[in-house]
Every structure is written in structure tokens, then in C-alpha cells.
Amino acid sequence: MRAAVGNSGDLLQQRVDALGELLGLSRSRVEAEALADAGVLLDRVAERRRLSLSHTVVALAGATGSGKSSLFNALTGLELAEVGVRRPTTASPLAYVWDAHGAEPLLDRLGIPHETRFARRSLLDGVHTRLGMDGAGSDAMEGLVLLDLPDHDSAAFGHRHQVDRLLELVDVVVWVLDPEKYADAVLHERYLRPMAGHADVTLVVLNQVDRLPAYAAEQVLDDLRRLLDEDGIAVGEHGEAGAVVLAASALTGEGIAEVRAAIGQLVAERGAANRRLAADVDRAAARLRPVYVGDRAVGLTDVAWEAFADRLADAVGASALGQAAEQEWHTAAAKVCGVPWSRLLARHRGPVADTAGPLDEPLLAARPVVAEAVREVADAAADGLPEPWALAVCDAAQRGARDLPEALDEAVARAEEAELERPWWWSMAAMAQRTLLVLAVAGTLGLVASAVWASGIPPWIPLLALAVGALGGPVLAWLCRVGGRGAARRFGRCTEARLRAAAAECGQALVLEAMSAELLRYREVRERYGVVAGR
């Protein structure tokens, strides 16, 4: 049993440590109000575990007239609590300690007044207490700190405040109910239902069963179990874990031995404090779940990333610039590989006016397209995240997007400044064109010479040279134009791909890395939350 208690204590410490790390990682992302209760719980757990874990604090709680004080007296064997017709009877919590050594700090933490603290060793041990509570039976209760709380439905606000405060601090709660008010809505809605996760450290005692016939008592107990089930409280029967439901009568002593045995078992295990704190951590984890657990698997998918890169490419006009680069290749090829005399004629006619107008202004990325692309990729990355982390991802994307348009402008400028690489065959084609021009000029001169001076050169030779030179130039230019279409297309595609890669790199560096950092932080806190939740 001690090994089991030790293991549960180690597991609790791991969960508490994870809760502390979780809060530390979340403070800048989650509103302080959502984390406040968890922070208070950390303090409460640390404070309780610093104090004596060999003592178990058990509180008797109930409504006015339920017989708490009578049950308290029956369990202690002493008339410590005032019992009477005046309501409420218990104004201040009473404490009875079976072993006072080391219990004082616990009582100080609970705020029990010194005048209402009683210790078994300080009283008459030789007194004949009721129901065999001395001797071996009393030894089984060593370490028990039994409290008698004020009435939770007291008309005095201070009494209710004390009850609420102490119920957060004790290890075990024994709810003392009576046959008349066991189904009270306030009891179930205000106390039992919110503490449904604490069933392992909860006892429910139907007191005053002496007022009921035997068959009626069983019916009331069955109805009480039904109500507890509706409250979400697991009822432990036949050795199963859960709340213990018992019937007793403090007046006649019926069932008191069973109540005392159930309490004694919890005390002997020395694990009630850790079980109570573990249940508190469970409740805190359930409350924090909407903050850390989303609707579905989260993260930036490849589809979203590719769509973002495509939108940035559209923003910088990658496709249009690729087509412009292809046309630039064709123009440069025509100048280098075209017929020389056509270039001379074009130069003689002067520059042709550009109907499109010169690009004096540098090309800039389309700002609205960039903003929309960032918004879409942020929404895709935040989809399924809990609200605080979705907002953090979107904020990170917007912060990174502030410098994105300028970075894209620089990428476009670098692409425009890239020099066109001339293929080797352009030089060969240009040399061939010059050769054909020389051949055409030589043929022309030969024809003139043969006509004027009647040289001995056959006329067909200069005529053939003229024909080859005159017709070969345009044919070669056409062949270069047709043969260069594939190269021009590849050059345009390479330019477009280079722009797309540059735009994607800008988006990766400024936006996606910022979002990825937030997603990584979320995965880290999600793992920490899993430890807190005990998964």
C-alpha cells in the first residue's frame, strides 16, 4: 500500500509540475482570468504537500438539522459539539485530532480557532468512549483530523463562507444528510455536482435513519444513490472505487461503526490528501480543456503552404514576368541572329515607338493580394486551434507580414536585374549571317562587274552567290526563331520559377516561421496539458 501511495504521490507531483510549466508557457497567450484558478490550485497543492501527509483531514458537512454535530460526538466519543434545537448550532468549525503531533500547522492552514481544537491525547484517554473507539479501534484512527463544519445552508453568510473555504482545503468530505433534505437542490447543485470528480474522497451518510422504517430507509438510500448518479458521482459498491454511501443514526448508534470503519480505512491508507489534490488537478484540467484542446488536428498543411506560395507568386506577377522574359529572349535572339541588313534598315529608320510605354517605374508586389494571402494562410493554420492560440497564430502572421511586401519588391527587382545568358549558338548564327551578307554583297559586285567590264566570270556564279546570301539570311533567321522557341520558353519558365521561389522564401522567412513558432509553442503546451490531464 505504501508503494502505491508513493507512486500516486510521484504521479501527482509530475502533474503539478506540468501544470506549473503549462501556466508559465501560457501567460502571454491566455487571459489571466482563465488561469487564475489553476494558479491558486498550485499554491494550495504546494501548501498541503508541505504539511503533514500522515494526517488526514476529514470534514463533516451538511445542512441545518442534519445531525452533523451529533455524528461528530458519536465518532469522537465525547460531547464536544453543541447539540440542541437552536439553529444553526455550529457557529465555528470544531477539530478533533487523534494524533496531535505535527497537526498544528494543518489546523493553522484550515483556520481553526485554538479554542475549538481538541486532541485525543490531551483529553481523558481512560474515559469509556462509545462504540469501542478506544484501544485497538482508536489506534486505527491515528492521524485523523475530524472537523465539524458550520451548516452550508446557514442564514449567516459567514458560516457559508467558512464552509466553502474549508471544503476547498480538507482531504475528505463526509456529507451528513437527513431523510427530509437529502434531495435538496442547493446541496446537489452547489456542492455535490461540482465535486463529482472527488468521489474517491467523499462519503455520504444518511443520518437519522432511526426516524424511518427499515423498508423506507432502503427506499431513501436507493433514491439517494440515484440522485448521486445524476450528479455524476460514482458510487462505490462491492469494493469498487467511488463515493461510499452509508446509513446511520447518531442517536441510536446504528451504522456508526460502519462510518467509522470507512473513515478509518481512508486514514490508514495515508493517501487521501494526494487523492483529493489529484481530483482538484483533474477538475482544473477539465476547466482548462477549452483553452488547450481544439476541435481537430491542427497545423499548417502542405496544401495551405502551396496555396500561400501561389498567392505570393501572383502578387509579384511571376507568370507575367516569365512571359516577359520569354519575349525578351526572342527579341535578343532576333537582334543577334537576324539578317544584318534588316537591322541596318531598322537603325536607319530610327527607334520604333513603344506603344506599351517604358517601364520607368519599378514593379511592386500587389499589396491587397499579399494581405489576402497572409490572412488565408493564417486562418488555415489557426483552424481547429483553441481561441487563444488561434489568435496568437494570426497575430504572429500579421507581425511577420509587415515587411513582406518590401521583401517581395526586392525579390522582383533582383529578378529584373538578372542578365540574359546568351546561348553559344547565337554567336555561330551571327557569324553565319555576316558570312551570308558578305556573300550577297560579293554576288552583287560580281554581277555589276560582269555587266560593266564584261569580265570572264560566268554570270551564274555571282547570281548564285547573291541568291544564297540574300535568301540564306532570312531563312537562317527563321530557323533560329523556330529553333529557339523551346529555349525561350524554358528561359521564361526559369524566370517564373525563380520569382516563385523567391516569393515563397520571403513568405517562409517572414510569415511561416513566425506561425510555426506559435504552433510549436502550442504543441508544447498541448503536451504539458496531456500530462496535467493524466494522459
Side-chain angles (χ1 to χ4, degrees), residues 48-385:
R48 178 63 184 94
R49 302 201 80 197
R50 280 197 305 268
L51 302 176
S52 173
L53 293 177
S54 62
H55 286 83
T56 303
V57 181
V58 179
L60 302 182
T64 304
S66 61
K68 287 187 293 79
S69 298
S70 298
L71 183 60
F72 181 81
N73 290 338
L75 292 173
T76 61
L78 300 168
E79 297 295 330
L80 300 177
E82 181 181 356
V83 180
V85 296
R86 182 174 57 88
R87 307 295 184 202
T89 299
T90 306
S92 297
L94 304 180
Y96 184 80
V97 185
W98 264 255
D99 181 7
H101 180 68
E104 286 298 318
L106 269 178
L107 296 174
D108 292 338
R109 173 179 181 259
L110 296 169
I112 306 299
H114 286 276
E115 60 271 18
T116 60
R117 300 180 185 182
F118 303 94
R120 177 177 178 274
R121 299 304 182 194
S122 65
L123 299 174
L124 296 177
D125 290 341
V127 71
H128 293 287
T129 54
R130 293 178 293 181
L131 300 177
M133 292 181 57
D134 282 333
S138 186
D139 291 338
M141 307 292 276
E142 292 293 338
L144 171 62
V145 178
L146 186 65
L147 304 183
D148 181 18
L149 303 186
D151 304 326
H152 72 76
D153 60 347
S154 172
F157 173 77
H159 292 187
R160 297 198 306 272
H161 176 72
Q162 284 193 73
V163 171
D164 294 343
R165 180 183 63 84
L166 288 169
L167 288 178
E168 291 292 327
L169 301 178
V170 299
D171 303 326
V172 179
V173 180
V174 179
W175 288 100
V176 183
L177 312 181
D178 64 87
E180 293 180 354
K181 294 190 287 186
Y182 72 93
D184 180 57
V186 174
L187 167 68
H188 288 269
E189 294 176 5
R190 181 181 174 88
Y191 295 104
L192 293 178
R193 198 165 297 164
M195 298 291 287
H198 296 69
D200 287 347
V201 287
T202 300
L203 279 73
V204 181
V205 177
L206 180 66
N207 194 22
Q208 304 175 5
V209 292
D210 57 290
R211 297 165 50 190
L212 299 172
Y215 71 90
E218 288 300 327
Q219 291 178 348
V220 172
L221 281 173
D222 290 340
D223 191 46
L224 175 58
R225 292 187 182 96
R226 178 188 61 81
L227 292 173
L228 294 176
D229 182 66
E230 292 178 358
D231 292 333
I233 299 177
V235 176
E237 295 179 319
H238 310 295
E240 299 176 352
V244 177
V245 179
L246 299 170
S249 171
L251 181 63
T252 65
E254 179 185 352
I256 297 300
E258 288 77 6
V259 174
R260 188 171 182 279
I263 295 175
Q265 182 178 354
L266 289 172
V267 174
E269 290 175 354
R270 298 290 191 265
N274 284 334
R275 287 157 66 182
R276 165 60 198 261
L277 296 175
D280 289 341
V281 175
D282 289 338
R283 181 171 59 178
R287 292 175 177 174
L288 290 174
R289 181 179 174 82
V291 178
Y292 296 106
V293 180
D295 300 331
R296 61 185 69 88
V298 297
L300 187 62
T301 63
D302 292 340
V303 174
W305 156 236
E306 291 173 0
F308 179 57
D310 289 341
R311 295 306 301 274
L312 293 184
D314 294 340
V316 300
S319 179
L321 288 175
Q323 294 175 0
E326 181 179 349
Q327 184 58 44
E328 180 188 2
W329 197 98
H330 280 300
T331 302
K335 289 181 179 180
V336 175
C337 305
V339 181
W341 50 264
S342 66
R343 295 201 303 272
L344 293 174
L345 290 176
R347 188 179 302 171
H348 178 71
R349 287 195 300 267
V352 180
D354 188 359
T355 57
L359 292 177
D360 296 331
E361 295 289 336
L363 293 177
L364 300 177
R367 266 55 177 174
V369 179
V370 174
E372 185 178 359
V374 172
R375 184 168 55 252
E376 288 179 354
V377 74
D379 291 342
D383 186 31
L385 284 173

Side-chain angles (χ1 to χ4, degrees), residues 10-20 278 281-282 285 531-534:
D10 294 340
L11 178 58
L12 174 61
Q13 189 59 50
Q14 292 176 10
R15 298 177 66 191
V16 171
D17 292 342
L19 180 58
V281 175
D282 289 338
V531 177
V532 173

